Amino acid sequence: MSFVDELERDLVEAAERRREALRTAAGVRARRRLGLRAPHRRAEEEAGAGLAARPGLARRGMRRLALATALFALIGAATAGAGLLLLRGTVIPGPALEDVPRDQLPLPGTTRLTGLTAADPLAGRPPWTLRLARSSTGLLCSTVGQLDGGRFGLVGLDGRFRAYSERIVDSCGEQQHGPHASLIGARVFDAEHPRDVRTVVNGVAGPSLTAVTLDVRGRARSVPVGPGGAFLAVLPGYPEDSGVQVELRFAGGQVETHPLGRSATVAPDPEGGQAWRSTAFGIGNDRRSCVTVSIARAGGAGTVASSPAACGLMRYDGRRWHGFYFAVRRLSGGAGPTSLLSGGWRGHPPRTAVWGGVGDEVAEVVVTGPGGIRTTPPIATSKTFFAVFPGSVDPDELTVTLRFADGRTRAFHGSANLVTRKVPMR
Amino acid sequence: MTRRRPMLLLALGAVLAGLLVAIVLAVALPQARDAVAVAGGGGDPLAPAATAPADPSRPARAPARPQPRGAGLLRLRATAPPRVEASAPDSRGGPPWVVRVFPSQRFAPARGGRALRRIGKPEVCAQLGRELDGRFGWVDATNTWRPVPVSYWGAPILCWHRGVEPQLQLTTPISDPSGGGADPLNAVVWGFAGRAATVDLTVDGARRGVDPTPHGVVLAVLPPGGRRHRARAELRFRDGARATAELGPFAEQRAMASHGGIGDRAHPRFAPGTPQVVDFRVPDPDGGLPWGIAVIRNDDGSGWCRSALGQIVGERVGFVDERLGTFTDATNGVDCIWVGEGTHPTPDRPLEVAYGFSAGGSPSLPPATQTAPSPGRVMRRTLPGRFTVTGLAHDDVVSVTIATPRDVRTVTPSRRAHVFAAVYDGDFPVGEIAVSARLRDGTVYRAPPYTVF
């Protein structure tokens, strides 16, 4: 006979005994009410003596009862755990209390969802939303997340939704009472592939905020304003990929602009891919100044497409830099870099690019070409410039025009003033 | 008569009770306490496992890691077979510590990438490792032993030209940090003692004399330091000369203190004597080891010396090599040893701010060869690497607001040394970072903005 069968038999016997005892107790109570004596006390005493004479049987019964209790607890705990998992899902834990500055620690019970939602660019993904809270020191806190069945959390890189702990906040800042944003930023959610990266532009700018406009790749896009001047918008890719800029308009007519995805050394890709950036550098005992163009968001040293360096000689007269150099090329190929200057396109789709450096006497660079191409790339503080075009653009058909501070202009076809050999300083 | 099935009733009752408990917990438990559920697993494969500490005497074994290759990566070749010159038992009962020594030559990929060209002069290298079944390897923070071939990667290594100054290093292996916390396990002092005849090590007051091997190799395995974490090596040479090497936290400051500072701008008060404390703490964006700034008070109580921002292991602040499972104490801030423009806040310029970026992962490994994202990154979709903003505020500053393209954060400088910090996942390839301070009188000071690139 198996343990379970024995246990079941014992439980049946125990239940029978209990029923008998209950019947007996009921009879005793009834007889007491009627003033009668128990008719079979003697029999009970005999039964008790019998049990006392068989201590092993009593111990075994107790043991099985204990095991039954343990079994009950085990099944109950497992069901509770599974039920909790189903009801609440898994959770992204908050940081340890002792590690969080009080200013960045939300007070328990102060978190609330704004009710604002923004659809993910990909259909079927949970919508994005904004949660607000108050910190222990009275600051305003916000957290960007997704909504899944009413739960606030995030779909991870593994595709699994996890609820956020109440202690998780993106940031807490002082609440501004004038026409200013208290909180504003572009929160980035990474992905294995750049197309799955999400930038969530969000903020809280108070009740006087009347309108929010995003400039995305040169196109204006209006964003709904929620209670308290909260707003939220979701963009695919990194902030610099769309060159996003936020414009906030307040009731008093004030306008606040936040260029969250822009910089003079970064430009969006002409075909909607990852943004590009220029990097200026010099090399040890070499008089040349050099510039490269590469994917703006490095995924690790030497892991992204990068142009060869365009190098030239600039002259410094003690006050100003003079000279100019630039490359005009179609960039393609699958190889990685073999040296610091070689670059490596790593199989990235072809692009045509103009990149180089100019002295202080150059006021503006204009690149024109077929199909109405006309762009004026900004000149960075490092005195470098660059422009990237689709790979279909023939570099030979591009014209680079330099407009000098004294009003002169010079137009070029193809690269100019590049120096490919090392020029020792002495 | 129908036979009763108490087993069925028992199971049904248990399921019912469990469901009731689950509903009550789901409604009643605040979200903040969910960390407990996650720590317990909660069915999430990425949740940190609540396992018992691994037995150091029985490490798991794994094959050697592949060696990174790539343009610009130096390669190391032994020009004679490596030999183990020093060994010491592990205080926790793990595989013994050893230092192997070999003459070496560095190479770099030639133009075109196939051939190798010789770089520099021949050197002698010493590599710290753990010996298991007669093989040289390394035990990481997960208590996994792997064999390590001759290379710059896989185990701590020092290479030098004979005749130069002694090179001693403090290597601190740590416990598994995957649960968001770690502790130092040992203090291993090792390296080349040069021409020194004897080396006296002192870690938190405990002294240990070490005799260098005939080739000048030193190895000593000590318990991890206490609150002062002071590690010092005194080298005595045969001609009677002596030298001191400070190895623990604030080593530069201690070394400077013993020399009286640098020039006429030396900090007038540096004489550290008190234990260090972590004065400002910030959580890691991925839920990894928290970040912090440690400070020590000068002996006369007149001021504080701060460390660089680093990750917290035990009560220490420094840098963690995730792949090796080792910790290195952070260097101290320049304000500890130097008084000059831009080192100490003044009433007119009440903020000193510094910006930094680290690719994260493992300094012992090129960034291009880093491994898969951590579970914390997978859950939170954070960016690789860390951008940091740290600073020192004047006593009059009550709060500091850091506005980046990511968000706006306000923090209160620490009570003791008035330091502050913010840690962001990823980098800022675009935009501007503006840091401002609200002063006690209500005015706002704006530090010069930091423009990326």
Side-chain angles (χ1 to χ4, degrees):
Chain A
M1 183 181 284
S2 73
F3 165 76
V4 175
D5 291 336
E6 279 187 25
L7 178 62
E8 187 166 349
R9 192 200 63 200
D10 285 349
L11 287 169
V12 169
E13 287 174 5
E16 290 293 345
R17 280 199 299 273
R18 181 173 162 74
R19 196 164 57 240
E20 184 62 30
L22 285 172
R23 270 203 302 268
T24 306
V28 167
R29 278 198 299 274
R31 281 189 295 278
R32 276 182 184 160
R33 277 200 298 274
L34 298 171
L36 302 174
R37 277 191 72 196
H40 49 274
R41 172 179 268 179
R42 185 188 170 93
E44 282 176 28
E45 285 169 359
E46 283 173 1
L51 276 174
R54 291 190 294 162
L57 189 63
R59 271 201 304 275
R60 202 160 59 238
M62 289 300 288
R63 195 165 59 235
R64 285 175 183 158
L65 199 61
L67 283 166
T69 309
L71 205 60
F72 180 90
L74 198 68
I75 295 172
T79 311
L84 195 59
L85 191 65
L86 282 173
L87 290 167
R88 287 281 288 273
T90 52
V91 177
I92 300 175
L97 279 174
E98 65 268 23
D99 293 334
V100 190
R102 285 184 63 232
D103 307 289
Q104 301 295 313
L105 182 67
L107 268 179
T110 64
T111 55
R112 66 179 196 282
L113 292 171
T114 55
L116 286 169
T117 56
D120 190 87
L122 204 62
R125 300 256 178 102
W128 296 83
T129 190
L130 189 64
R131 185 175 75 179
L132 301 181
R134 282 279 166 201
S135 81
S136 312
T137 54
L139 301 181
L140 181 64
C141 310
S142 69
T143 315
V144 171
Q146 289 173 285
L147 276 177
D148 182 51
R151 292 176 301 157
F152 179 72
L154 186 69
V155 177
L157 291 175
D158 56 356
R160 185 175 183 145
F161 180 88
R162 295 174 182 85
Y164 269 141
S165 156
E166 198 178 32
R167 277 211 300 273
I168 289 182
V169 293
D170 293 340
S171 70
C172 303
E174 280 183 341
Q175 186 159 9
Q176 305 293 322
H177 295 290
H180 300 290
S182 300
L183 302 173
I184 185 163
R187 178 87 161 80
V188 182
F189 294 90
D190 207 12
E192 283 183 29
H193 194 281
R195 67 169 175 261
D196 296 324
V197 172
R198 294 289 178 264
T199 292
V200 183
V201 176
N202 68 97
V204 183
S208 65
L209 180 71
T210 55
V212 177
T213 308
L214 296 192
D215 185 334
V216 179
R217 293 182 182 275
R219 290 184 179 177
R221 175 179 155 185
S222 184
V223 176
V225 178
F231 58 92
L232 175 84
V234 185
L235 304 170
Y238 297 103
E240 64 273 14
D241 296 346
S242 56
V244 62
Q245 178 168 286
V246 187
E247 186 184 87
L248 307 179
R249 287 189 175 275
F250 294 88
Q254 298 90 340
V255 177
E256 204 174 83
T257 305
H258 296 269
L260 301 176
R262 295 190 180 179
S263 165
T265 56
V266 174
D269 181 65
E271 302 213 33
Q274 280 193 270
W276 301 92
R277 78 169 173 209
S278 65
T279 305
F281 61 96
I283 313 160
N285 182 28
D286 194 336
R287 287 179 52 211
R288 293 177 300 167
S289 302
C290 300
V291 188
T292 59
V293 175
S294 60
I295 292 284
R297 184 78 59 158
T303 60
V304 295
S306 170
S307 76
C311 299
L313 287 172
M314 304 294 286
R315 184 174 58 82
Y316 187 62
D317 66 4
R319 280 189 321 119
R320 293 156 65 86
W321 286 98
H322 301 275
F324 60 88
Y325 63 93
F326 54 83
V328 183
R329 273 186 62 175
R330 179 179 285 128
L331 301 164
S332 61
T338 54
S339 74
L340 184 65
L341 301 178
S342 69
W345 209 242
R346 295 180 177 275
H348 191 283
R351 294 287 184 269
T352 295
V354 179
W355 71 106
V358 292
D360 290 308
E361 73 273 28
V362 175
E364 189 179 62
V365 180
V366 181
V367 184
T368 52
I373 288 177
R374 180 184 172 81
T375 183
T376 308
I379 299 172
T381 50
S382 58
K383 292 293 167 189
T384 60
F385 70 93
F386 79 106
V388 180
F389 305 96
S392 56
V393 172
D394 183 352
D396 293 336
E397 293 190 27
L398 289 176
T399 303
V400 180
T401 304
L402 303 184
R403 189 174 64 77
F404 293 87
D406 60 8
R408 288 180 301 126
T409 58
R410 286 184 68 184
F412 299 85
H413 289 279
S415 304
N417 295 343
L418 294 182
V419 180
T420 53
R421 286 179 173 275
K422 178 180 176 178
V423 182
M425 290 190 177
R426 54 184 182 277
Chain B
M1 180 180 165
T2 310
R3 194 187 173 204
R4 289 175 184 274
R5 300 302 304 262
M7 276 303 291
L8 187 65
L9 290 173
L10 179 86
L12 281 174
V15 167
L16 198 64
L19 275 177
L20 277 171
V21 169
I23 290 166
V24 168
L25 284 179
V27 172
L29 265 186
Q31 291 277 329
R33 295 185 58 186
D34 287 344
V36 177
V38 171
D44 189 341
L46 295 182
T51 53
D55 180 0
S57 66
R58 303 177 65 183
R61 293 170 188 243
R65 292 187 194 272
Q67 294 301 296
R69 295 275 187 268
L73 288 185
L74 291 181
R75 298 185 198 171
L76 187 69
R77 283 185 182 168
T79 52
R83 62 182 186 281
V84 170
E85 280 230 354
S87 66
D90 180 55
S91 58
R92 303 172 64 246
W97 293 84
V98 293
V99 175
R100 69 178 178 185
V101 178
F102 50 92
S104 67
Q105 179 65 55
R106 285 177 295 157
F107 293 88
R111 197 176 291 272
R114 293 202 173 219
L116 293 176
R117 61 192 167 91
R118 194 182 295 263
I119 298 283
K121 295 179 179 175
E123 293 179 321
V124 175
C125 294
Q127 195 162 31
L128 180 68
R130 311 290 293 274
E131 198 169 67
L132 192 61
D133 297 338
R135 297 178 73 195
F136 183 89
W138 185 253
V139 177
D140 65 17
T142 66
N143 198 36
T144 302
W145 181 91
R146 286 182 173 84
V148 176
V150 168
S151 78
Y152 285 116
W153 325 107
I157 188 167
L158 285 171
C159 295
W160 75 319
H161 296 291
R162 284 192 190 280
V164 299
E165 292 296 308
Q167 279 197 63
L168 293 178
Q169 205 168 73
L170 171 65
T171 295
T172 305
I174 61 171
S175 59
D176 188 356
S178 60
D183 287 303
L185 301 175
N186 282 311
V188 183
V189 179
W190 65 286
F192 291 110
R195 293 167 290 104
T198 60
V199 177
D200 284 331
L201 298 174
T202 310
V203 176
D204 268 351
R207 292 179 71 86
R208 165 91 64 97
V210 182
D211 292 328
T213 67
H215 292 92
V217 172
V218 168
L219 172 64
V221 180
L222 305 158
R227 287 192 68 202
R228 289 172 201 265
H229 316 301
R230 190 167 188 178
R232 166 186 281 181
E234 289 181 11
L235 297 95
R236 280 178 289 179
F237 298 89
R238 289 190 177 81
D239 62 2
R242 289 171 179 246
T244 302
E246 295 284 354
L247 303 168
F250 298 93
E252 300 88 342
Q253 192 201 17
R254 295 183 203 280
M256 283 295 156
S258 65
H259 287 90
I262 3 173
D264 55 1
R265 283 189 167 183
H267 196 299
R269 302 176 301 201
F270 54 46
T274 52
Q276 72 170 53
V277 289
V278 180
D279 200 31
F280 197 92
R281 303 172 77 100
V282 195
D284 180 70
D286 283 350
L289 292 176
W291 297 70
I293 298 173
V295 297
I296 51 171
R297 187 192 282 276
N298 291 321
D299 278 345
D300 62 1
S302 58
W304 297 87
C305 167
R306 63 178 167 146
S307 75
L309 179 72
Q311 287 189 282
I312 300 170
V313 169
E315 295 176 8
R316 294 159 71 176
V317 169
F319 305 98
V320 171
D321 185 321
E322 291 172 11
R323 200 167 94 122
L324 294 185
T326 56
F327 169 85
T328 306
D329 291 294
T331 55
N332 50 247
V334 68
D335 52 299
C336 295
I337 55 173
W338 183 262
V339 178
E341 187 80 8
T343 58
H344 290 75
T346 62
D348 292 337
R349 199 188 54 229
L351 285 181
E352 293 299 339
V353 190
Y355 307 90
F357 177 74
S358 75
S362 170
S364 67
L365 200 62
T369 57
Q370 297 290 341
T371 49
S374 67
R377 241 195 94 201
V378 171
M379 281 192 213
R380 293 166 176 83
R381 293 183 66 175
T382 43
L383 297 159
R386 295 288 179 269
F387 190 92
T388 59
V389 179
T390 55
L392 191 59
H394 191 264
D395 298 2
D396 289 340
V397 172
V398 292
S399 69
V400 176
T401 296
I402 305 161
T404 67
R406 184 80 52 78
D407 56 37
V408 181
R409 300 180 189 187
T410 300
V411 291
T412 304
S414 66
R415 192 168 44 85
R416 298 182 186 88
H418 305 287
V419 295
F420 62 90
V423 178
Y424 304 83
D425 60 301
D427 197 0
F428 295 107
V430 287
E432 186 178 277
I433 298 171
V435 183
S436 59
R438 184 174 296 282
L439 306 180
R440 217 172 289 283
D441 63 6
T443 57
V444 174
Y445 167 81
R446 299 184 195 285
Y450 173 82
T451 306
V452 184
F453 298 121

